[in-house]
Amino acid sequence: MRDKMMLYGVTLAKRYTKRQKAYFLAHILESYSAYGFPAKLQSRKSWTGNINNVIAGSLETAGTIVAAAYDTPARAFLPGYRYYPFHTEKNKKEERKNILVQILIAAIFSITACAGTMRFFKTHAIGMLLLVFLSIGAAVWSSRVKKNPVNFNRNSASLAVMDKVAENLQGNENVAFVFLDQGVSSFEGFKLFRESLEDAAKDRKKRVILLDCIAYGDTLVAAHGQGDAESARKLIEIGENHELAIRDKVYTEEKIEGNILSFLPGGIYLASGSIENGEFVVKDTRSPKDTKVDMERLEKIAASIAAF
């Protein structure tokens, strides 16, 4: 597992720009085909830009699909930014606070540039012109989007686990792997995948195991809808056999509409984090602190999914 974390967490750690994603996609298309899971791109244009999912294996023959978002996030401006895997509205609030902090930083840089320019040039025409350019430049520089440098938890660890499962189950027609684009920045990759899943599931129900933020955390949770309780129970029992503690979390159909499970019929959502004030929260994503990893638990997660 260490070599796989090195690959996805260091060598291919940044998957934010088109070029970075292209390097990653080329690797996945080649490596999964070598594992016996022919891989293909699933592409579409969206209001957020081009979406490029990868499907390795056959969705038609597979009973179980292991999926994860592969894109990595922009670095957050908000100190102590928190991610709520099962609560979309709280994520929106965090993002609004992040944008507000970004605006304040841009304003401070712009005011500082103005004050410095006025001190040296006072009211001269050249000074006023320079003042305008410096103010604009300072605001743009301070508010520009920066890709996050390290992304072990979101979602390099998930990719490492998927690679391990694929290596263990080479060519198994009962499993497929899906890599979702724009799964961190939006739900567009999930929407595109759901369409293919609905077509493939006409004759046979599919079980989807979605991996998100499994690198570390106090509590590993398997969240699912009421109709998928039996599959989740089976996964939890297999985890126990591998000395892996997984907490069961059942959502009603009404509650599912408030999180990502609404995009994944038959979905079991695995995520690891902490429980604070009744909310499941993941800390240190979108920051340089996202470097923690529980390697032993990742091994157990991969073995449990392969056994499942």
Side-chain angles (χ1 to χ4, degrees):
M1 184 63 73
R2 290 187 181 278
D3 60 332
K4 298 187 186 304
M5 273 305 303
M6 180 63 69
L7 172 62
Y8 295 108
V10 179
T11 307
L12 298 172
K14 297 175 185 177
R15 301 175 295 275
Y16 186 80
T17 66
K18 289 182 180 179
R19 177 175 291 184
Q20 290 165 349
K21 289 181 179 181
Y23 286 136
F24 170 79
L25 293 174
H27 166 75
I28 292 298
L29 291 170
E30 180 180 357
S31 62
Y32 275 75
S33 295
Y35 285 147
F37 301 102
K40 62 181 180 181
L41 279 175
Q42 180 191 37
S43 300
R44 183 169 71 188
K45 288 186 177 180
S46 167
W47 66 274
T48 56
N50 291 331
I51 308 167
N52 291 299
N53 291 349
V54 175
I55 298 173
S58 171
L59 294 184
E60 285 69 30
T61 62
T64 301
I65 299 161
V66 186
Y70 72 81
D71 58 320
T72 52
R75 183 172 174 178
F77 287 82
L78 178 67
Y81 180 93
R82 297 188 173 199
Y83 170 52
Y84 298 87
F86 310 129
H87 204 145
T88 303
E89 285 304 315
K90 280 193 171 292
N91 286 329
K92 290 179 180 178
K93 289 180 181 178
E94 283 290 286
E95 190 55 36
R96 284 195 288 268
K97 288 190 285 186
N98 182 57
I99 292 172
L100 178 60
V101 171
Q102 188 174 351
I103 292 172
L104 289 174
I105 291 172
I108 291 170
F109 270 77
S110 182
I111 292 170
T112 302
C114 287
T117 306
M118 291 178 70
R119 178 181 177 183
F120 285 102
F121 291 96
K122 300 192 176 183
T123 57
H124 295 298
I126 189 171
M128 297 304 294
L129 184 61
L130 185 59
L131 173 65
V132 171
F133 281 110
L134 277 177
S135 299
I136 294 173
V140 170
W141 182 87
S142 60
S143 63
R144 75 192 191 284
V145 175
K146 302 177 183 178
K147 50 186 174 291
N148 199 50
V150 185
N151 305 283
F152 279 12
N153 209 15
R154 202 173 185 206
N155 280 306
S156 297
S158 297
L159 302 178
V161 166
M162 290 173 70
D163 197 303
K164 187 68 174 179
V165 174
E167 185 179 62
N168 291 341
L169 299 178
Q170 296 199 26
N172 190 323
E173 293 184 353
N174 194 47
V175 64
F177 301 87
V178 177
F179 303 86
L180 301 164
D181 191 10
Q182 296 188 31
V184 167
S185 59
S186 72
F187 291 137
E188 294 304 305
F190 287 94
K191 293 176 183 177
L192 178 58
F193 169 51
R194 181 176 59 182
E195 294 175 10
S196 298
L197 185 62
E198 289 172 349
D199 291 338
K202 287 179 179 178
D203 301 320
R204 179 186 179 189
K205 183 178 179 180
K206 308 295 181 180
R207 297 172 297 188
V208 180
I209 299 176
L210 176 65
L211 306 179
D212 184 18
C213 295
I214 57 172
Y216 64 93
D218 301 328
T219 305
L220 180 64
V221 173
H224 56 89
Q226 293 171 313
D228 301 295
E230 182 62 25
S231 295
R233 183 192 60 79
K234 179 182 176 182
L235 178 61
I236 291 169
E237 287 181 355
I238 292 173
E240 290 174 352
N241 294 336
H242 289 86
E243 299 181 343
L244 177 67
I246 306 176
R247 180 170 175 171
D248 192 20
K249 177 63 177 176
V250 185
Y251 280 93
T252 63
E253 293 304 314
E254 181 182 358
K255 291 291 185 180
I256 279 179
E257 294 304 315
N259 65 48
I260 209 167
L261 284 169
S262 61
F263 296 101
L264 298 171
I268 301 173
Y269 188 176
L270 279 184
S272 184
S274 304
I275 298 175
E276 297 182 356
N277 300 319
E279 287 286 350
F280 186 82
V281 59
V282 180
K283 303 174 184 177
D284 295 336
T285 65
R286 298 185 64 179
S287 81
K289 295 180 180 179
D290 189 5
T291 57
K292 305 172 191 173
V293 59
D294 186 338
M295 206 70 68
E296 183 179 356
R297 189 168 67 176
L298 290 185
E299 292 275 8
K300 293 176 181 178
I301 293 173
S304 299
I305 293 174
F308 180 85

Coordinates of all heavy atoms in Angstrom, one line a residue, residues 216-293:
Y216 N -7.5 8.9 7.2 CA -7.3 8.9 8.6 C -8.7 9.4 9.2 O -9.6 9.8 8.5 CB -6.2 9.8 9.1 CG -6.4 11.3 8.8 CD1 -6.9 12.1 9.7 CD2 -6.0 11.8 7.6 CE1 -7.1 13.5 9.4 CE2 -6.2 13.1 7.3 CZ -6.7 14.0 8.2 OH -6.9 15.3 7.9
G217 N -8.7 9.4 10.6 CA -9.9 9.8 11.3 C -10.3 8.9 12.4 O -10.0 7.7 12.3
D218 N -11.0 9.4 13.4 CA -11.4 8.6 14.5 C -12.4 7.5 14.2 O -12.4 6.4 14.7 CB -12.0 9.5 15.6 CG -11.0 10.6 16.1 OD1 -9.8 10.3 16.0 OD2 -11.5 11.7 16.4
T219 N -13.4 7.8 13.3 CA -14.5 7.0 13.0 C -14.7 6.7 11.5 O -14.8 7.7 10.8 CB -15.8 7.6 13.6 OG1 -15.6 7.9 15.0 CG2 -17.0 6.6 13.4
L220 N -14.7 5.4 11.2 CA -15.0 5.0 9.8 C -16.4 4.7 9.7 O -16.9 3.8 10.4 CB -14.1 3.8 9.4 CG -14.3 3.3 7.9 CD1 -13.9 4.4 6.9 CD2 -13.5 2.0 7.7
V221 N -17.1 5.4 8.8 CA -18.6 5.2 8.7 C -19.0 4.6 7.3 O -18.4 5.0 6.3 CB -19.3 6.6 8.9 CG1 -20.8 6.5 8.6 CG2 -19.0 7.1 10.3
A222 N -20.0 3.7 7.4 CA -20.6 3.3 6.1 C -22.0 3.8 6.1 O -22.9 3.4 6.9 CB -20.6 1.7 6.1
A223 N -22.2 4.9 5.3 CA -23.6 5.5 5.2 C -24.3 4.9 4.0 O -23.7 4.7 3.0 CB -23.4 7.0 5.1
H224 N -25.6 4.8 4.2 CA -26.4 4.2 3.1 C -27.9 4.4 3.3 O -28.3 4.9 4.4 CB -26.2 2.7 3.0 CG -26.5 2.0 4.4 ND1 -27.7 1.5 4.7 CD2 -25.7 1.8 5.5 CE1 -27.7 1.0 5.9 NE2 -26.5 1.1 6.4
G225 N -28.7 4.2 2.3 CA -30.1 4.3 2.5 C -30.7 3.1 3.1 O -30.1 2.0 3.3
Q226 N -32.0 3.1 3.4 CA -32.7 2.0 4.1 C -32.7 0.8 3.2 O -32.7 -0.3 3.7 CB -34.1 2.5 4.5 CG -34.2 3.5 5.5 CD -35.5 4.1 5.8 OE1 -36.2 4.4 4.8 NE2 -36.0 4.2 7.0
G227 N -32.8 0.9 1.9 CA -32.9 -0.2 1.0 C -31.6 -0.9 0.8 O -31.6 -2.0 0.2
D228 N -30.5 -0.4 1.4 CA -29.2 -1.0 1.2 C -28.6 -1.5 2.5 O -27.4 -1.7 2.6 CB -28.2 0.0 0.5 CG -28.8 0.4 -0.9 OD1 -28.9 -0.4 -1.8 OD2 -29.1 1.6 -1.0
A229 N -29.4 -1.7 3.5 CA -29.0 -2.0 4.8 C -28.3 -3.4 4.8 O -27.3 -3.6 5.5 CB -30.1 -2.0 5.8
E230 N -28.8 -4.3 4.0 CA -28.3 -5.7 4.0 C -26.9 -5.7 3.4 O -25.9 -6.4 3.9 CB -29.2 -6.6 3.1 CG -28.7 -8.1 3.1 CD -28.7 -8.8 4.4 OE1 -29.4 -8.3 5.3 OE2 -27.9 -9.7 4.6
S231 N -26.6 -5.0 2.3 CA -25.3 -4.9 1.7 C -24.3 -4.2 2.7 O -23.2 -4.7 2.8 CB -25.4 -4.1 0.4 OG -26.1 -4.8 -0.6
A232 N -24.8 -3.2 3.4 CA -23.9 -2.5 4.3 C -23.5 -3.4 5.5 O -22.4 -3.4 5.9 CB -24.6 -1.2 4.8
R233 N -24.5 -4.2 6.0 CA -24.3 -5.1 7.1 C -23.2 -6.1 6.7 O -22.3 -6.5 7.4 CB -25.6 -5.8 7.5 CG -25.4 -6.8 8.6 CD -26.7 -7.6 8.8 NE -26.9 -8.5 7.6 CZ -26.2 -9.6 7.3 NH1 -25.3 -10.0 8.1 NH2 -26.5 -10.2 6.2
K234 N -23.3 -6.6 5.4 CA -22.4 -7.6 4.9 C -21.0 -7.0 4.9 O -20.0 -7.6 5.3 CB -22.8 -8.1 3.5 CG -21.8 -9.1 2.9 CD -22.2 -9.5 1.5 CE -21.2 -10.4 0.9 NZ -21.6 -10.8 -0.5
L235 N -20.8 -5.8 4.4 CA -19.5 -5.1 4.4 C -19.0 -4.9 5.8 O -17.8 -5.1 6.0 CB -19.6 -3.8 3.6 CG -18.4 -3.0 3.5 CD1 -17.3 -3.7 2.7 CD2 -18.6 -1.6 2.8
I236 N -19.8 -4.5 6.7 CA -19.4 -4.3 8.1 C -18.9 -5.6 8.7 O -17.9 -5.6 9.4 CB -20.5 -3.6 8.9 CG1 -20.8 -2.2 8.4 CG2 -20.2 -3.6 10.4 CD1 -22.0 -1.6 9.0
E237 N -19.6 -6.7 8.5 CA -19.2 -8.0 9.0 C -17.9 -8.4 8.4 O -17.0 -9.0 9.1 CB -20.3 -9.0 8.7 CG -21.6 -8.9 9.5 CD -22.6 -10.0 9.2 OE1 -22.3 -10.8 8.3 OE2 -23.6 -10.0 9.9
I238 N -17.7 -8.2 7.1 CA -16.4 -8.6 6.5 C -15.3 -7.7 7.1 O -14.2 -8.2 7.4 CB -16.5 -8.4 5.0 CG1 -17.4 -9.4 4.4 CG2 -15.1 -8.5 4.3 CD1 -17.7 -9.2 2.9
G239 N -15.6 -6.4 7.3 CA -14.6 -5.6 8.0 C -14.2 -6.1 9.4 O -13.0 -6.1 9.7
E240 N -15.2 -6.6 10.1 CA -14.9 -7.1 11.5 C -14.0 -8.3 11.3 O -13.1 -8.5 12.2 CB -16.2 -7.5 12.1 CG -17.1 -6.3 12.6 CD -18.4 -6.8 13.1 OE1 -18.7 -8.0 13.0 OE2 -19.1 -5.9 13.6
N241 N -14.1 -9.1 10.3 CA -13.3 -10.3 10.1 C -11.8 -9.9 9.8 O -10.9 -10.6 10.0 CB -13.8 -11.2 8.9 CG -15.1 -11.8 9.3 OD1 -15.4 -12.0 10.4 ND2 -15.9 -12.1 8.2
H242 N -11.7 -8.6 9.3 CA -10.3 -8.1 9.0 C -9.9 -7.1 10.1 O -9.0 -6.3 9.8 CB -10.3 -7.4 7.6 CG -10.4 -8.3 6.5 ND1 -11.6 -8.8 6.0 CD2 -9.5 -8.9 5.7 CE1 -11.4 -9.6 5.0 NE2 -10.1 -9.7 4.8
E243 N -10.6 -7.2 11.2 CA -10.2 -6.3 12.4 C -10.4 -4.8 12.0 O -9.6 -4.0 12.4 CB -8.8 -6.6 12.9 CG -8.6 -8.0 13.4 CD -7.2 -8.2 13.9 OE1 -6.3 -7.4 13.6 OE2 -7.0 -9.2 14.6
L244 N -11.4 -4.5 11.2 CA -11.7 -3.2 10.8 C -13.1 -2.8 11.4 O -14.1 -3.4 11.1 CB -11.8 -3.1 9.2 CG -12.1 -1.7 8.6 CD1 -11.0 -0.7 8.9 CD2 -12.4 -1.9 7.1
A245 N -13.1 -1.7 12.2 CA -14.3 -1.2 12.8 C -15.0 -0.2 11.8 O -14.4 0.8 11.5 CB -14.0 -0.6 14.1
I246 N -16.2 -0.5 11.5 CA -17.0 0.4 10.6 C -18.3 0.6 11.3 O -19.1 -0.3 11.7 CB -17.3 -0.3 9.2 CG1 -16.0 -0.7 8.5 CG2 -18.0 0.7 8.3 CD1 -16.2 -1.5 7.2
R247 N -18.6 1.9 11.4 CA -19.9 2.3 12.1 C -21.0 2.4 11.0 O -20.8 3.0 10.0 CB -19.7 3.6 12.8 CG -20.9 4.2 13.5 CD -20.6 5.4 14.3 NE -21.8 5.9 14.9 CZ -21.8 6.9 15.9 NH1 -20.6 7.3 16.3 NH2 -22.9 7.4 16.4
D248 N -22.1 1.8 11.3 CA -23.3 1.8 10.4 C -24.1 3.1 10.6 O -24.3 3.6 11.7 CB -24.2 0.6 10.7 CG -25.2 0.4 9.7 OD1 -25.0 0.9 8.5 OD2 -26.2 -0.3 10.0
K249 N -24.4 3.7 9.4 CA -25.2 5.0 9.4 C -26.3 4.9 8.4 O -26.0 4.8 7.2 CB -24.3 6.2 9.2 CG -25.1 7.5 9.1 CD -25.8 7.9 10.4 CE -26.5 9.2 10.3 NZ -27.2 9.5 11.5
V250 N -27.6 4.8 8.8 CA -28.7 4.6 7.9 C -29.4 6.0 7.7 O -29.7 6.7 8.7 CB -29.7 3.6 8.5 CG1 -30.8 3.4 7.4 CG2 -29.0 2.3 8.8
Y251 N -29.6 6.3 6.4 CA -30.4 7.5 6.1 C -31.7 7.2 5.5 O -31.8 6.3 4.7 CB -29.6 8.4 5.1 CG -28.5 9.2 5.7 CD1 -27.2 8.7 5.7 CD2 -28.7 10.4 6.2 CE1 -26.1 9.4 6.3 CE2 -27.7 11.2 6.8 CZ -26.4 10.7 6.8 OH -25.4 11.4 7.4
T252 N -32.7 7.9 6.0 CA -34.1 7.8 5.3 C -34.0 8.4 3.9 O -33.1 9.1 3.6 CB -35.1 8.5 6.2 OG1 -34.8 9.9 6.2 CG2 -35.2 8.0 7.6
E253 N -35.0 8.1 3.2 CA -35.1 8.6 1.8 C -35.1 10.1 1.8 O -34.5 10.8 0.9 CB -36.3 8.0 1.1 CG -36.2 6.5 0.8 CD -35.0 6.1 0.0 OE1 -34.6 6.8 -1.0 OE2 -34.3 5.2 0.4
E254 N -35.8 10.7 2.8 CA -35.8 12.1 2.9 C -34.5 12.7 3.2 O -34.1 13.7 2.6 CB -36.8 12.5 4.0 CG -37.0 14.0 4.2 CD -37.9 14.4 5.3 OE1 -38.5 13.4 6.0 OE2 -38.1 15.6 5.6
K255 N -33.7 12.1 4.1 CA -32.4 12.6 4.5 C -31.4 12.4 3.4 O -30.4 13.2 3.3 CB -31.9 11.9 5.8 CG -32.7 12.2 7.0 CD -32.4 13.7 7.5 CE -33.1 14.0 8.8 NZ -32.9 15.4 9.2
I256 N -31.5 11.4 2.6 CA -30.6 11.1 1.5 C -30.5 12.3 0.5 O -29.5 12.6 0.0 CB -31.0 9.8 0.7 CG1 -30.4 8.6 1.5 CG2 -30.4 9.8 -0.7 CD1 -30.8 7.3 0.9
E257 N -31.7 13.0 0.4 CA -31.7 14.1 -0.6 C -30.8 15.2 -0.1 O -30.4 16.1 -0.9 CB -33.1 14.7 -0.7 CG -34.1 13.7 -1.3 CD -33.7 13.3 -2.7 OE1 -33.2 14.1 -3.5 OE2 -33.8 12.1 -3.0
G258 N -30.3 15.2 1.1 CA -29.4 16.3 1.6 C -27.9 15.9 1.5 O -27.1 16.7 1.9
N259 N -27.6 14.8 0.8 CA -26.2 14.4 0.7 C -25.9 13.7 -0.6 O -26.8 13.5 -1.4 CB -25.6 13.7 1.9 CG -26.3 12.3 2.1 OD1 -26.4 11.5 1.1 ND2 -26.7 12.0 3.3
I260 N -24.7 13.3 -0.8 CA -24.3 12.7 -2.1 C -24.9 11.4 -2.4 O -24.9 10.9 -3.6 CB -22.7 12.6 -2.1 CG1 -22.2 12.8 -3.5 CG2 -22.3 11.3 -1.4 CD1 -20.7 13.0 -3.5
L261 N -25.5 10.7 -1.5 CA -26.1 9.4 -1.7 C -27.3 9.5 -2.7 O -27.7 8.5 -3.3 CB -26.6 8.8 -0.4 CG -25.5 8.1 0.5 CD1 -26.1 7.8 1.8 CD2 -24.9 6.9 -0.2
S262 N -27.8 10.7 -2.8 CA -28.9 10.9 -3.8 C -28.5 10.7 -5.2 O -29.3 10.4 -6.1 CB -29.5 12.3 -3.6 OG -28.5 13.3 -3.9
F263 N -27.2 10.7 -5.5 CA -26.6 10.5 -6.8 C -26.2 9.1 -7.1 O -25.8 8.7 -8.2 CB -25.4 11.4 -7.1 CG -25.7 12.9 -7.1 CD1 -25.4 13.6 -6.0 CD2 -26.3 13.5 -8.2 CE1 -25.7 15.0 -5.9 CE2 -26.6 14.8 -8.1 CZ -26.3 15.6 -7.0
L264 N -26.3 8.2 -6.0 CA -25.8 6.9 -6.1 C -26.8 5.8 -5.6 O -26.8 5.4 -4.5 CB -24.5 6.7 -5.3 CG -23.3 7.6 -5.8 CD1 -22.2 7.4 -4.8 CD2 -22.9 7.1 -7.2
P265 N -27.8 5.4 -6.5 CA -28.7 4.4 -6.0 C -27.9 3.1 -5.7 O -27.0 2.7 -6.4 CB -29.6 4.2 -7.3 CG -29.4 5.4 -8.2 CD -28.0 5.9 -7.8
G266 N -28.3 2.5 -4.6 CA -27.5 1.3 -4.2 C -26.2 1.6 -3.6 O -25.3 0.8 -3.5
G267 N -26.0 2.9 -3.1 CA -24.7 3.3 -2.7 C -24.4 3.1 -1.2 O -25.3 3.2 -0.4
I268 N -23.1 2.7 -0.9 CA -22.6 2.6 0.4 C -21.4 3.6 0.5 O -20.5 3.5 -0.3 CB -22.1 1.2 0.8 CG1 -23.3 0.2 0.7 CG2 -21.5 1.2 2.2 CD1 -22.8 -1.2 0.9
Y269 N -21.5 4.6 1.3 CA -20.6 5.7 1.3 C -19.6 5.5 2.5 O -20.0 5.6 3.6 CB -21.4 7.0 1.4 CG -20.6 8.3 1.3 CD1 -21.3 9.5 1.3 CD2 -19.2 8.4 1.1 CE1 -20.7 10.7 1.1 CE2 -18.6 9.6 0.9 CZ -19.3 10.8 1.0 OH -18.7 12.0 0.8
L270 N -18.3 5.2 2.2 CA -17.3 5.0 3.2 C -16.5 6.3 3.4 O -15.9 6.8 2.4 CB -16.4 3.9 2.8 CG -16.8 2.5 3.1 CD1 -15.6 1.5 2.7 CD2 -17.2 2.2 4.5
A271 N -16.5 6.8 4.6 CA -15.7 8.0 4.9 C -15.3 8.0 6.4 O -15.9 7.3 7.2 CB -16.6 9.3 4.7
S272 N -14.2 8.6 6.7 CA -13.6 8.6 8.0 C -13.4 10.0 8.5 O -12.9 10.9 7.8 CB -12.2 7.9 8.0 OG -11.7 7.7 9.3
G273 N -13.8 10.2 9.8 CA -13.7 11.6 10.3 C -14.0 11.6 11.8 O -13.8 10.5 12.5
S274 N -14.5 12.7 12.3 CA -14.8 12.8 13.7 C -16.3 13.2 13.9 O -16.9 13.8 12.9 CB -13.9 13.9 14.4 OG -12.6 13.6 14.2
I275 N -16.9 12.9 15.0 CA -18.2 13.3 15.3 C -18.2 14.4 16.3 O -17.7 14.2 17.4 CB -19.1 12.1 15.8 CG1 -19.1 11.0 14.7 CG2 -20.5 12.6 16.1 CD1 -19.8 9.8 15.1
E276 N -18.7 15.6 15.9 CA -18.7 16.8 16.8 C -20.1 17.4 16.8 O -20.6 17.7 15.7 CB -17.7 17.8 16.4 CG -16.2 17.3 16.4 CD -15.3 18.4 16.0 OE1 -15.7 19.5 15.6 OE2 -14.1 18.1 16.1
N277 N -20.7 17.5 18.0 CA -22.0 18.1 18.1 C -23.1 17.4 17.2 O -23.9 18.0 16.6 CB -22.0 19.6 17.8 CG -21.1 20.4 18.7 OD1 -21.0 20.1 19.9 ND2 -20.3 21.3 18.1
G278 N -22.9 16.1 17.1 CA -23.8 15.3 16.3 C -23.6 15.3 14.8 O -24.4 14.7 14.1
E279 N -22.5 16.0 14.4 CA -22.2 16.1 12.9 C -20.9 15.3 12.6 O -20.0 15.4 13.4 CB -22.1 17.5 12.5 CG -23.4 18.3 12.4 CD -24.2 17.9 11.2 OE1 -23.7 17.2 10.3 OE2 -25.4 18.4 11.2
F280 N -20.9 14.6 11.5 CA -19.7 13.9 11.0 C -18.9 14.9 10.2 O -19.4 15.5 9.3 CB -20.1 12.8 10.2 CG -19.0 11.9 9.7 CD1 -18.5 10.9 10.6 CD2 -18.4 12.1 8.5 CE1 -17.4 10.1 10.2 CE2 -17.3 11.3 8.1 CZ -16.8 10.3 9.0
V281 N -17.7 15.2 10.7 CA -16.8 16.2 10.1 C -15.4 15.7 9.8 O -14.9 14.9 10.5 CB -16.8 17.4 11.0 CG1 -16.2 17.1 12.4 CG2 -16.0 18.6 10.4
V282 N -14.9 16.2 8.7 CA -13.5 15.8 8.3 C -12.7 17.1 8.3 O -13.1 18.1 7.7 CB -13.4 15.2 6.9 CG1 -12.0 14.9 6.5 CG2 -14.3 13.9 6.8
K283 N -11.6 17.1 9.0 CA -10.7 18.3 9.2 C -9.5 18.2 8.3 O -9.1 17.1 7.9 CB -10.3 18.4 10.6 CG -11.4 18.5 11.6 CD -10.9 18.5 13.1 CE -12.0 18.5 14.1 NZ -11.5 18.4 15.5
D284 N -8.9 19.4 8.0 CA -7.6 19.5 7.3 C -7.6 19.2 5.8 O -6.6 19.2 5.2 CB -6.5 18.7 8.0 CG -6.2 19.1 9.4 OD1 -6.5 20.3 9.7 OD2 -5.8 18.3 10.2
T285 N -8.8 19.0 5.2 CA -8.8 18.9 3.7 C -8.6 20.3 3.2 O -8.8 21.3 3.9 CB -10.1 18.3 3.2 OG1 -11.2 19.2 3.5 CG2 -10.4 17.0 3.8
R286 N -8.2 20.4 1.9 CA -8.0 21.7 1.3 C -6.9 22.5 2.0 O -7.0 23.8 2.0 CB -9.3 22.5 1.1 CG -10.3 21.8 0.3 CD -11.6 22.7 0.1 NE -11.2 23.9 -0.7 CZ -12.1 24.8 -1.1 NH1 -13.4 24.7 -0.7 NH2 -11.7 25.9 -1.7
S287 N -6.0 21.9 2.6 CA -4.9 22.6 3.3 C -3.6 21.8 3.2 O -3.7 20.5 3.0 CB -5.3 22.8 4.8 OG -5.0 21.7 5.6
P288 N -2.5 22.4 3.5 CA -1.2 21.6 3.4 C -1.1 20.6 4.6 O -0.1 19.8 4.6 CB -0.1 22.8 3.6 CG -0.8 24.0 3.1 CD -2.2 23.8 3.5
K289 N -2.0 20.6 5.5 CA -2.0 19.7 6.6 C -2.6 18.3 6.2 O -2.6 17.4 7.0 CB -2.9 20.2 7.8 CG -2.3 21.5 8.4 CD -3.2 22.0 9.6 CE -2.7 23.2 10.2 NZ -3.5 23.7 11.3
D290 N -3.1 18.2 5.0 CA -3.7 16.9 4.6 C -2.6 15.9 4.2 O -2.5 15.5 3.1 CB -4.6 17.2 3.4 CG -5.5 15.9 3.0 OD1 -5.4 15.0 3.8 OD2 -6.2 16.0 2.0
T291 N -1.8 15.6 5.2 CA -0.7 14.6 5.0 C -0.8 13.4 5.9 O 0.1 12.6 5.9 CB 0.6 15.3 5.3 OG1 0.6 15.9 6.7 CG2 0.8 16.5 4.3
K292 N -1.8 13.3 6.7 CA -1.9 12.1 7.6 C -2.5 10.9 6.9 O -3.4 11.1 6.0 CB -2.8 12.5 8.8 CG -2.4 13.7 9.6 CD -3.5 14.1 10.6 CE -3.3 15.4 11.2 NZ -4.4 15.9 12.1
V293 N -2.0 9.7 7.3 CA -2.6 8.5 6.6 C -2.4 7.4 7.6 O -1.3 7.2 8.2 CB -1.9 8.3 5.3 CG1 -0.4 8.1 5.4 CG2 -2.5 7.0 4.6

